[in-house]
Amino acid sequence: MNNIDEKLQPILAKVVQRNAGEPEFHQAVHEVMESLGRVIAKNPDYLEQALIERICEPERQIIFRIPWVDDQGKAQINRGFRVQFNSALGPYKGGLRFHPSVNIGIIKFLGFEQIFKNALTGLPIGGGKGGSDFDPKGKSDGEIMRFCQSLMTELFRHLGEQTDVPAGDIGVGRREIGYLFGQYKRLSNRYEAGVITGKAIAYGGSRARTEATGFGNTYFTKAMLETRKSSFDGKRVVVSGAGNVAIHSIEKVQSFGGKVIACSDSSGYVVDETGIDLPLLQEIKIIRQERISEYARLKGAGAHFVPIGKGSIWDLPCQVAMPSATQNELSGRDARKLVQNGVEAVGEGANMPCTPEAVRVLRKANILFGPGKAANAGGVATSALEMQQNASRDRWSFEQTEERLAQIMQNIHDHCAETADEFGAPGDYVLGANIAGFVRVAEAMRMLGVI
Ligand code: GLU
């Protein structure tokens, strides 16, 4: 707790004590608290009003049983979660994650991050998150549909376009959103398009939503590089992951002249010194849904596969690193290696992919570091644009939507940079993002009374 203001230490201690066994949630709260000392020094009223304690306590947490029948006719049980964290700025907004690692602590960490991320977009969305410990790997289409329908049969009563608006996250893409929306529509007997985002274009989705998180992180990282008169042009870039975020980061980095030399999935990573062949990667990961080793096999010369446990993707020399797989995937050791190899910028595409030690190493070495709650906010920002289009029964072109996204990312970047300057830490995007996000939510909460 040594980096935390002594007035905030009892608040953090209480969060840890009353949310026992939730290390990821503690980590996320700890990281925000590290930045808030400077805020309460300027504004002691936040302490008197218990605003920090209130923000750390979800408004509502829902945990429920999800029964479903597999293809063999056997009943299965999973656990469902929705944490409605904060609605000071708008309806709860945040994705659903399907992954066996999901538990209440993971959903709380994600929901907590989402509050500040959503505030940073400047759009009227509160923070929430949900999901299940369901493992979509190896499940048939019918099993996925039955599972999504069962989940929504419970969750629908807690949702609404003015109440709580889920979207995708790890393990939840277009297909799942379709099944979830279909069941919501059936149970509520309402065509409430804005109740969920990440929909297909065919029934109310927004253009550029699929691309938005990866594109957004690339815009944010580009803006950081520009503050040092640098750019992606000719840079060696490593992007971890091979899902939606990674694929569209690779696409945008390449369009800015960067060369992405590696990406990964949970089985290992591939290196391609000639630059990742995006159509081939998409064919393998999205269409065929195969392991990433297939990329190296099909690409042949110049590419090779390194299985998990046989080395770290962050050992590869690069100038820009974009961790876009999952939480705590980049360790202190990895960060030291990146620094040794001359990394200039790290933009977090995933939520909290760098461990606290990694963040310390990067900040100490004065590397440009874009924390996820700022750098990956493009996804949820475009979800809010999808809600806008649904509310006005309109649809925008790809160009129009991407232009709004690019502008939002530049604004988030500038707002974080200006806040860091104002609070005496120029170039510190972690501090800037935490303070700028917190202040926006705290000010709204203050005006709404003790809620
Ligand atoms: N799951 C994404 C995130 O972490 C997007 C959430 C949304 O669009 O609501 O921000």
Side-chain angles (χ1 to χ4, degrees):
M1 285 217 200
N2 22 4
N3 301 325
I4 295 194
D5 186 287
E6 57 175 39
K7 293 202 190 71
L8 296 174
Q9 289 188 11
I11 303 178
L12 178 61
K14 203 162 163 201
V15 169
V16 170
Q17 180 235 319
R18 66 205 301 243
N19 298 281
E22 299 174 5
E24 292 83 5
F25 180 49
H26 304 165
Q27 184 182 330
V29 175
H30 192 289
E31 196 239 69
V32 170
M33 292 262 187
E34 276 182 24
S35 304
L36 295 186
R38 295 178 202 224
V39 180
I40 54 158
K42 271 199 181 178
N43 206 335
D45 190 43
Y46 288 148
L47 276 183
E48 265 150 55
Q49 303 247 350
L51 273 160
I52 301 173
E53 286 99 317
R54 282 196 269 151
I55 285 185
C56 292
E57 184 67 18
E59 289 176 16
R60 192 176 294 110
Q61 306 182 50
I62 302 147
I63 303 181
F64 52 100
R65 177 165 72 191
I66 311 178
W68 57 282
V69 179
D70 68 18
D71 286 348
Q72 284 68 50
K74 192 170 171 299
Q76 300 280 349
I77 292 297
N78 284 95
R79 189 173 287 176
F81 304 91
R82 187 73 183 165
V83 174
Q84 299 182 329
F85 227 121
N86 194 298
S87 61
L89 295 175
Y92 309 106
K93 182 82 197 85
L96 295 171
R97 176 177 290 191
F98 293 172
H99 193 269
S101 66
V102 164
N103 57 43
I104 189 65
I106 296 274
I107 298 300
K108 264 153 85 177
F109 121 63
L110 291 164
F112 186 74
E113 289 281 296
Q114 201 84 46
I115 304 172
F116 305 103
K117 183 195 307 199
N118 295 4
L120 284 170
T121 66
L123 298 163
I125 40 178
K129 200 86 186 192
S132 173
D133 56 1
F134 175 75
D135 187 357
K137 252 195 217 118
K139 302 290 189 297
S140 72
D141 196 53
E143 288 175 325
I144 299 276
M145 183 179 77
R146 291 194 295 278
F147 175 78
C148 289
Q149 290 178 337
S150 180
L151 181 151
M152 189 51 89
T153 301
E154 177 58 36
L155 192 61
F156 90 102
R157 71 193 80 246
H158 304 288
L159 306 182
E161 60 186 12
Q162 311 290 352
T163 312
D164 185 354
V165 182
D169 196 85
I170 294 171
V172 178
R174 276 277 161 92
R175 174 179 60 164
E176 292 73 17
I177 294 293
Y179 295 148
L180 290 163
F181 180 67
Q183 186 74 349
Y184 180 87
K185 187 176 80 56
R186 201 170 160 209
L187 290 164
S188 63
N189 194 30
R190 282 164 63 86
Y191 203 105
E192 207 182 315
V195 74
I196 196 161
T197 61
K199 300 181 292 294
I201 309 295
Y203 66 94
S206 173
R207 296 199 167 77
R209 174 63 190 88
T210 311
E211 292 81 0
T213 312
F215 279 20
N217 187 26
T218 312
Y219 282 122
F220 190 94
T221 306
K222 176 172 172 276
M224 290 200 298
L225 288 165
E226 280 165 2
T227 64
R228 296 195 181 163
K229 311 252 168 311
S230 186
S231 73
F232 272 109
D233 200 22
K235 297 276 152 68
R236 277 169 68 89
V237 181
V238 171
V239 179
S240 63
N244 182 39
V245 182
I247 283 176
H248 296 293
S249 304
I250 297 172
E251 182 184 348
K252 206 63 184 172
V253 167
Q254 290 178 343
S255 81
F256 289 145
K259 185 169 168 192
V260 181
I261 51 134
C263 62
S264 62
D265 68 10
S266 56
S267 68
Y269 66 91
V270 284
V271 186
D272 185 348
E273 286 293 343
T274 65
I276 294 289
D277 177 338
L278 194 58
L280 178 62
L281 182 67
Q282 281 174 308
E283 159 88 24
I284 291 164
K285 293 307 298 182
I286 298 179
I287 300 168
R288 294 207 235 147
Q289 306 202 348
E290 284 173 344
R291 307 313 298 172
I292 205 153
S293 52
E294 270 304 285
Y295 178 95
R297 197 180 67 80
L298 292 172
K299 186 72 194 288
H304 67 276
F305 170 67
V306 181
I308 190 92
K310 290 275 182 314
S312 165
I313 192 172
W314 309 116
D315 286 354
L316 300 167
C318 65
Q319 285 129 349
V320 182
M322 301 170 88
S324 309
T326 195
Q327 66 269 4
N328 293 328
E329 57 163 304
L330 196 159
S331 67
R333 189 208 80 82
D334 295 332
R336 273 185 286 277
K337 195 79 195 177
L338 285 170
V339 173
Q340 264 170 32
N341 286 332
V343 77
E344 282 178 41
V346 178
E348 291 190 319
N351 290 313
M352 212 168 74
C354 295
T355 65
E357 193 195 348
V359 178
R360 258 193 309 278
V361 169
L362 297 169
R363 286 164 82 191
K364 198 152 166 250
N366 199 24
I367 307 302
L368 293 164
F369 175 71
K373 61 171 79 70
N376 75 36
V380 76
T382 309
S383 278
L385 302 182
E386 182 172 332
M387 291 162 74
Q388 275 185 34
Q389 292 169 72
N390 295 150
S392 57
R393 303 193 185 281
D394 197 4
R395 53 201 297 183
W396 307 345
S397 68
F398 194 95
E399 292 68 30
Q400 192 182 355
T401 318
E402 195 189 344
E403 208 180 296
R404 285 286 301 270
L405 166 67
Q407 190 59 55
I408 291 168
M409 295 317 295
Q410 187 68 47
N411 291 347
I412 297 175
H413 170 274
D414 296 352
H415 191 32
C416 292
E418 284 154 17
T419 308
D421 284 347
E422 186 189 328
F423 283 84
D428 187 339
Y429 292 93
V430 173
L431 193 105
N434 286 339
I435 296 183
F438 171 81
V439 168
R440 185 155 187 246
V441 179
E443 282 304 313
M445 285 178 74
R446 187 173 21 202
M447 292 175 205
L448 298 177
V450 180
I451 52 159

